[in-house]
Amino acid sequence: MKSVLVLGSGGVGAVTALALQSSGEADVTLIVRTDYETVMTRGYEFKSVDYGQVDGWRPSRVVKSVDEAVEHGPYDYIVVCTKFVPEVQKTEDMVRPFMHKGATVVLVQNGLGNEEPVMKAFPDGYVLGGVSMIGSTNYDGRINHISPDEVTIGTYDKRPEAIASAKEYVRLYSLSKSKGIFTEHLAKKRWIKLFYNATYNTIAAVTGLDTGRLYFSGISNNLVKEAMAEVRAIAEKELGEKLDPGIEAFMLNVDANEYYEPSMLVDVRKGQPMELEAILGNPLRLAQKHNIPAPLLQVVYIMLRGRQMALLEKRGLVDLPPLGFDLKEHKPVYDTLPWTE
Amino acid sequence: MKSVLVLGSGGVGAVTALALQSSGEADVTLIVRTDYETVMTRGYEFKSVDYGQVDGWRPSRVVKSVDEAVEHGPYDYIVVCTKFVPEVQKTEDMVRPFMHKGATVVLVQNGLGNEEPVMKAFPDGYVLGGVSMIGSTNYDGRINHISPDEVTIGTYDKRPEAIASAKEYVRLYSLSKSKGIFTEHLAKKRWIKLFYNATYNTIAAVTGLDTGRLYFSGISNNLVKEAMAEVRAIAEKELGEKLDPGIEAFMLNVDANEYYEPSMLVDVRKGQPMELEAILGNPLRLAQKHNIPAPLLQVVYIMLRGRQMALLEKRGLVDLPPLGFDLKEHKPVYDTLPWTE
């Protein structure tokens, strides 16, 4: 029996907890904040393409806080399904209370650069990266899960114990209805998802348009396509290999029959911080490192940094000077490009 | 006595009507749509830096519709103080019912390219351009007018009668408390205002940030400044002369102590169409004509065309295909760059 902690109880976290608990070989503790009372009273309700209708479900243990989760540790796997927004909370700080020699942290998150700081803070343990393909939302403890759950797991760390831990996680994850896949090419998987996330997702957030409207306005076949070419150039240099030439056409048309709101557009509309650094900041830092020009992504990024500032301000995380100041006397929040910081 | 029609009864239109009526030499008819009942019942209330507190004010005639205004014509001056959004209504169509030989149309509007179509549709009359410097808002017939009214008037048409008509308008406009200025360099005046409008205004609309937040985030000294350099290159080529080197520094700092929402950001927030073609589309067409690169403004423009599409959609002016379509089968709203149309 493995002891597993899941952090993040959104659409991905809830299905992850269900998948692991359903394996029969894992004892799952889930940290639930917003929905705690609801989940304790009536449990989760799943309407799931993989698991069917599941009512009143709870994993082995539902806790409300990190402190409470620590009491019930230690955990073999600490699975992070939260958004990755280091401006709000760094992942290494989030998992630090659960770190112990031999434990494994699994980062089921978007973007690039998520693993490194955790690996650095946690040299005695193992850090896995997960790329999730799932359509799953959680509103008030009701999970609507519409596309099959498939998570691809790999490591940047090539120690045999890390790889063994990844394979064991994949085995556990696949014992019931979800699908886990082990990959030796985690970075490549992450980059392929970025063809969509660094372009459609970011341009949707800047323009305020969902994917159908981006398509219909002509922006898809114009800016989004150009941005994808920049992603390809960075990815191929960073990975040291050519990628499938069909990725752009696939990604450009993947939402060509719906008005879909990518996650960063949802964040803008809800006024909550975006996963900007993982999705765009870190790929651009690699472009800079390799001296690959990415002028379009750079403009999009600078604009979204400004918007992120306003989203962080709403959360009380950025203080703007009051009226009647002279802004010229103030150091801007971002006075340099990120790669020169 | 001159017979004057004012179209547009926002902050600019109301002060324009007041200035002309106060001249004592003009009989002003104002078309009022939204506020008609209010204006007929209690008149306008001005709190004006130039005119002081003025309550219960009406010009000689307030009418509700174009048809009613036509009945009371003909007019010597037809003064257009509406926003310039040709996607919604072309100015030449707006003024056509009032056109007659020898009449003068005065376009007190933002941007570039407003005069040409009216001149073409109206060869027997005169078309003046006006660049307004004013801080004036109209909410429910209450006008808050905070910065002195100054309108600079000129012509593209060099016929002596057109110039005489412009000078006469300036004289009339200056008889009370407002200031009219005649210029032989209308295009230059329009371009100088575009240093702000084509950059701050458009980037505010794209990013969703007011000027203080653009400044404080660092975007002002980065993207806005770069965009101003593009405006300068186009302007100097088009005008055939060098412009004052201090314009950028002045415009960058003009709002450095306030959180000001430029008009296009207000439009986005209110869900109403923006003056995109006058402010950015037409300057970019000139860039193309002169073969001046403007890559940053072009990206901003493409993004804002997408957003404009969504704003026009809200007004019922663009029909998107319903769910369950295949967007690949549809011709996009904008499938080419504007200068190749």
Side-chain angles (χ1 to χ4, degrees):
Chain A
M1 208 68 170
K2 294 286 180 187
S3 175
V4 179
L5 176 69
V6 177
L7 290 114
S9 55
V12 176
V15 174
T16 298
L18 177 62
L20 291 164
Q21 186 74 55
S22 303
S23 72
E25 296 187 17
D27 185 58
V28 175
T29 299
L30 179 63
I31 304 183
V32 179
R33 290 199 175 96
T34 326
D35 303 327
Y36 183 78
E37 294 306 329
T38 310
V39 173
M40 291 314 286
T41 315
R42 64 162 161 76
Y44 280 107
E45 292 181 25
F46 288 86
K47 196 174 165 184
S48 164
V49 64
D50 291 328
Y51 295 85
Q53 182 79 33
V54 183
D55 292 328
W57 184 84
R58 288 184 209 97
S60 297
R61 191 176 295 111
V62 174
V63 299
K64 206 179 187 161
S65 69
V66 164
D67 285 351
E68 208 183 328
V70 168
E71 276 175 39
H72 297 286
Y75 301 97
D76 300 309
Y77 288 102
I78 298 125
V79 187
V80 182
C81 300
T82 60
K83 282 205 296 181
F84 179 58
V85 187
E87 302 97 311
V88 176
Q89 188 173 24
K90 291 184 162 56
T91 313
E92 57 272 33
D93 296 338
M94 204 185 299
V95 301
R96 184 165 291 118
F98 308 105
M99 288 175 174
H100 62 92
K101 189 171 160 64
T104 298
V105 177
V106 190
L107 302 175
V108 183
Q109 294 181 311
N110 278 320
L112 284 186
N114 317 23
E115 290 84 4
E116 289 76 353
V118 185
M119 288 166 70
K120 213 170 147 183
F122 195 27
D124 289 342
Y126 311 111
V127 178
L128 317 182
V131 179
S132 172
M133 298 297 286
I134 191 172
S136 177
T137 54
N138 175 358
Y139 285 101
D140 301 324
R142 291 189 173 82
I143 315 295
N144 189 29
H145 172 208
I146 59 169
S147 70
D149 178 27
E150 183 184 298
V151 67
T152 303
I153 298 286
T155 65
Y156 285 98
D157 169 358
K158 296 303 172 199
R159 285 176 293 172
E161 299 89 337
I163 292 167
S165 181
K167 288 185 171 166
E168 171 62 9
Y169 184 82
V170 163
R171 190 189 69 79
L172 266 182
Y173 202 81
S174 307
L175 283 171
S176 181
K177 315 278 184 180
S178 288
K179 188 171 174 190
I181 300 169
F182 173 76
T183 181
E184 291 183 357
H185 306 286
L186 176 61
K188 188 167 161 181
K189 265 279 174 186
R190 289 212 176 276
W191 274 106
I192 289 170
K193 200 168 174 194
L194 276 174
F195 271 74
Y196 182 95
N197 263 338
T199 61
Y200 262 119
N201 202 351
T202 60
I203 291 173
V206 174
T207 57
L209 302 177
D210 55 43
T211 57
R213 285 175 176 78
L214 286 176
Y215 207 98
F216 195 61
S217 72
I219 291 178
S220 294
N221 281 311
N222 193 318
L223 296 187
V224 175
K225 202 171 176 178
E226 277 185 61
M228 283 183 183
E230 293 184 1
V231 171
R232 175 178 290 274
I234 310 166
E236 292 188 345
K237 181 75 180 186
E238 169 70 12
L239 296 170
E241 62 176 300
K242 293 281 169 204
L243 296 175
D244 179 343
I247 298 174
E248 281 89 347
F250 175 78
M251 292 292 188
L252 272 174
N253 294 326
V254 71
D255 290 325
N257 54 358
E258 42 193 325
Y259 295 111
Y260 177 72
E261 296 181 8
S263 63
M264 292 171 79
L265 175 58
V266 173
D267 291 335
V268 167
R269 291 187 173 170
K270 289 192 179 171
Q272 61 201 15
M274 302 171 284
E275 296 187 289
L276 179 60
E277 295 310 319
I279 285 174
L280 199 48
N282 289 336
L284 280 170
R285 286 180 190 94
L286 291 172
Q288 174 70 4
K289 179 181 127 192
H290 295 303
N291 213 13
I292 303 280
L296 183 52
L297 290 176
Q298 189 175 322
V299 166
V300 171
Y301 178 60
I302 293 170
M303 287 176 172
L304 285 180
R305 281 229 294 197
R307 202 179 254 278
Q308 180 82 323
M309 181 193 79
L311 296 170
L312 293 169
E313 181 196 348
K314 282 194 188 150
R315 291 285 166 108
L317 298 168
V318 170
D319 282 324
L320 291 197
L323 270 173
F325 52 83
D326 182 352
L327 275 177
K328 292 192 297 303
E329 302 295 314
H330 282 267
K331 187 175 147 55
V333 172
Y334 307 111
D335 61 347
T336 55
L337 288 174
W339 36 85
T340 63
E341 277 162 5
Chain B
M1 208 67 171
K2 295 286 182 189
S3 176
V4 178
L5 176 70
V6 177
L7 290 114
S9 56
V12 175
V15 174
T16 298
L18 177 62
L20 292 164
Q21 186 72 55
S22 304
S23 72
E25 297 188 15
D27 186 58
V28 175
T29 299
L30 180 64
I31 304 184
V32 179
R33 289 201 175 94
T34 325
D35 303 326
Y36 183 77
E37 294 305 329
T38 309
V39 173
M40 291 314 287
T41 315
R42 64 162 161 77
Y44 280 106
E45 293 180 23
F46 288 88
K47 197 176 164 182
S48 163
V49 66
D50 291 328
Y51 295 85
Q53 183 79 33
V54 182
D55 292 328
W57 184 85
R58 288 185 207 96
S60 299
R61 191 175 295 109
V62 175
V63 299
K64 207 177 187 164
S65 67
V66 164
D67 285 351
E68 208 182 328
V70 168
E71 276 175 38
H72 298 287
Y75 300 97
D76 301 309
Y77 288 101
I78 299 122
V79 187
V80 182
C81 300
T82 59
K83 282 206 296 181
F84 178 58
V85 187
E87 302 97 310
V88 176
Q89 188 173 23
K90 290 183 162 56
T91 313
E92 58 272 33
D93 295 338
M94 205 184 299
V95 301
R96 183 166 291 118
F98 308 105
M99 288 175 172
H100 62 92
K101 189 171 160 64
T104 298
V105 177
V106 190
L107 302 175
V108 183
Q109 293 181 310
N110 279 319
L112 284 187
N114 317 22
E115 290 84 4
E116 289 77 354
V118 185
M119 289 166 68
K120 212 170 150 185
F122 194 27
D124 290 342
Y126 312 111
V127 179
L128 318 182
V131 179
S132 171
M133 298 297 285
I134 191 172
S136 177
T137 54
N138 174 358
Y139 286 101
D140 301 324
R142 292 188 173 81
I143 317 294
N144 189 29
H145 171 206
I146 58 167
S147 68
D149 178 27
E150 185 184 298
V151 66
T152 303
I153 298 287
T155 65
Y156 285 98
D157 171 356
K158 296 303 173 201
R159 285 176 293 172
E161 299 89 336
I163 293 168
S165 181
K167 288 185 173 166
E168 172 62 10
Y169 184 82
V170 162
R171 191 188 67 79
L172 265 182
Y173 202 81
S174 305
L175 283 171
S176 180
K177 314 278 186 182
S178 289
K179 190 172 174 188
I181 300 168
F182 174 75
T183 182
E184 292 183 357
H185 306 286
L186 176 62
K188 188 168 159 181
K189 265 279 174 187
R190 289 213 177 275
W191 274 105
I192 289 170
K193 200 167 173 195
L194 277 174
F195 271 74
Y196 182 96
N197 263 339
T199 62
Y200 262 120
N201 202 351
T202 59
I203 291 174
V206 174
T207 58
L209 302 177
D210 55 43
T211 57
R213 284 175 177 78
L214 286 176
Y215 207 99
F216 195 61
S217 71
I219 291 177
S220 294
N221 282 309
N222 194 317
L223 294 188
V224 175
K225 203 170 175 178
E226 277 184 60
M228 284 183 183
E230 294 183 2
V231 172
R232 174 177 292 274
I234 310 165
E236 293 188 344
K237 182 74 178 185
E238 169 70 11
L239 296 170
E241 64 176 300
K242 291 282 168 203
L243 296 175
D244 179 343
I247 299 172
E248 281 88 346
F250 175 78
M251 292 293 188
L252 271 173
N253 294 326
V254 70
D255 290 327
N257 54 358
E258 42 194 325
Y259 295 110
Y260 178 71
E261 295 180 10
S263 63
M264 292 170 78
L265 176 58
V266 172
D267 291 334
V268 167
R269 290 186 174 171
K270 289 191 178 171
Q272 61 201 15
M274 301 171 285
E275 296 187 288
L276 180 60
E277 294 311 319
I279 285 175
L280 199 48
N282 289 336
L284 281 170
R285 286 179 190 94
L286 291 171
Q288 175 71 3
K289 178 181 128 192
H290 295 304
N291 212 13
I292 302 281
L296 183 51
L297 290 176
Q298 189 176 321
V299 167
V300 171
Y301 178 60
I302 293 170
M303 287 176 173
L304 286 180
R305 281 229 293 198
R307 202 179 254 280
Q308 181 83 323
M309 182 194 79
L311 295 170
L312 294 170
E313 181 197 347
K314 282 193 187 152
R315 291 286 166 106
L317 298 169
V318 170
D319 282 325
L320 290 198
L323 271 173
F325 53 84
D326 182 351
L327 276 177
K328 293 191 297 302
E329 302 297 311
H330 282 267
K331 187 173 145 58
V333 172
Y334 307 111
D335 62 345
T336 55
L337 287 174
W339 36 84
T340 61
E341 278 161 5

